[in-house]
Amino acid sequence: MTKEYKVDRQVFDDVMVPCYAPMQMIPVKGEGARVWDQEGREYVDFAGGIAVSCLGHCHPVMVDAIKAQAEKIWHLSNVMTNEPALRLATLLTEHSFADKVFFANSGAEANEAALKLARRYAADKFSPDKSEIISFKQGFHGRTFFTVTVGGQEAYSDGFGPKPGAVTHLAYNDLTGLAEHMSERTCAVMMEPLQGEGGIVSPTPKFIQGVRELCDKHNALLIFDEVQTGNGRTGDFYAYQGLGVIPDILSTAKSLGGGFPIGAMLTTTELAVHLKVGTHGSTYGGNPLACAVAEAVVSEVTKPEVLAGVKQREQWFREALEAINAKYPVFAEVRGKGLLLGAALNDEWQGRARDILVAAGEEGLMVLIAGANVVRFTPSLVIGKADIDEGMARLERAIAKIYS
Ligand SMILES: *Cc1c(COP(=O)(O)O)cnc(C)c1O
């Protein structure tokens, strides 16, 4: 039996590694787009666990899938394969460019696999000197040492000793800069097809097309990090499908499991053969429980009405944010796509995104930020109109309170 005692926020400071600064309240229950804390206070959830809870909290298809699988088998390791993994991989190949899938447990691990595959492919097919990874400033690719080094924020990668080498950071949306820099030494370009953590920055059509052309010209692989944009978030199942540019490798996580940890790297048969037996692996990757949940999530999210619903909800979000801004002008623009939206603060409000997040929390609304100047919204893809209206009413009250 677990001991019955109440844990509070102080316990975090007592026994947890202090790499996070969590809010004071502790959520204990969620249903759809609502969450309740220990005191029974209710919140509207516009954060979705950072673009993870794509079907809201405790959606029946996820609860049914995990219960059913929990009574069959939980874990095998990759010494054997398993039915949920095979079904999920098949689904992912049906709904994307990919022929082959590697399962991991997180976005960083999916990216780690993508980068290792790119390096291995270039070394096998061309030369070990073809090792340069190009990525973009403000980009985010996870916290393992390789992925955080490829990410474009030195604040995250500095201070841990020597970094993995041959990584170059260029400016996002600067095609000329990329064209001038790229060479036969370039192994791969890794990018988010819409920068999330970096402030909700979309690629220009010219840039995204140009990156693909430059990769082809220099025999470099194009890796799309769709950890945040994937699984319906932008209104397409994967964001690349709305951009008319197909990557060679795609990483996916966050919404893939709808709240259960899972990540995956998707690629073609031609590339996949370079990760032959023993070259890469994961104990938990492809775990039956994780794959059973993700299978239920993907089956739901790929329904045309769910994807169309994301575009409808984007409209509702944009209209409501504009209405708030008409009364209390704090935003310069609302950017992003689908339900990966960022309200960028205007000149007078620079640096105050966190103030809005805190005020929203006090009004019973969970939002996110992306840097100091962007309030970010990544709610459930199936959030109801009534929940959006209620959340926006709370956001308006929060902004009214600090507006002066
Ligand atoms: C969140 C995120 C990651 C890291 O995912 P983890 O599951 O935290 O390892 C990588 N890339 C992008 C674009 C992300 O948004």
Side-chain angles (χ1 to χ4, degrees), residues 35-56:
V35 167
W36 290 266
D37 71 11
Q38 289 176 316
E39 268 64 60
R41 258 199 94 197
E42 175 243 330
Y43 298 79
V44 175
D45 186 4
F46 281 179
I50 318 192
V52 166
S53 308
C54 59
L55 296 176

Side-chain angles (χ1 to χ4, degrees), residues 363-376:
E363 292 299 322
L365 173 68
M366 300 181 351
V367 299
L368 296 169
I369 58 177
N373 301 316
V374 177
V375 182
R376 177 169 41 153

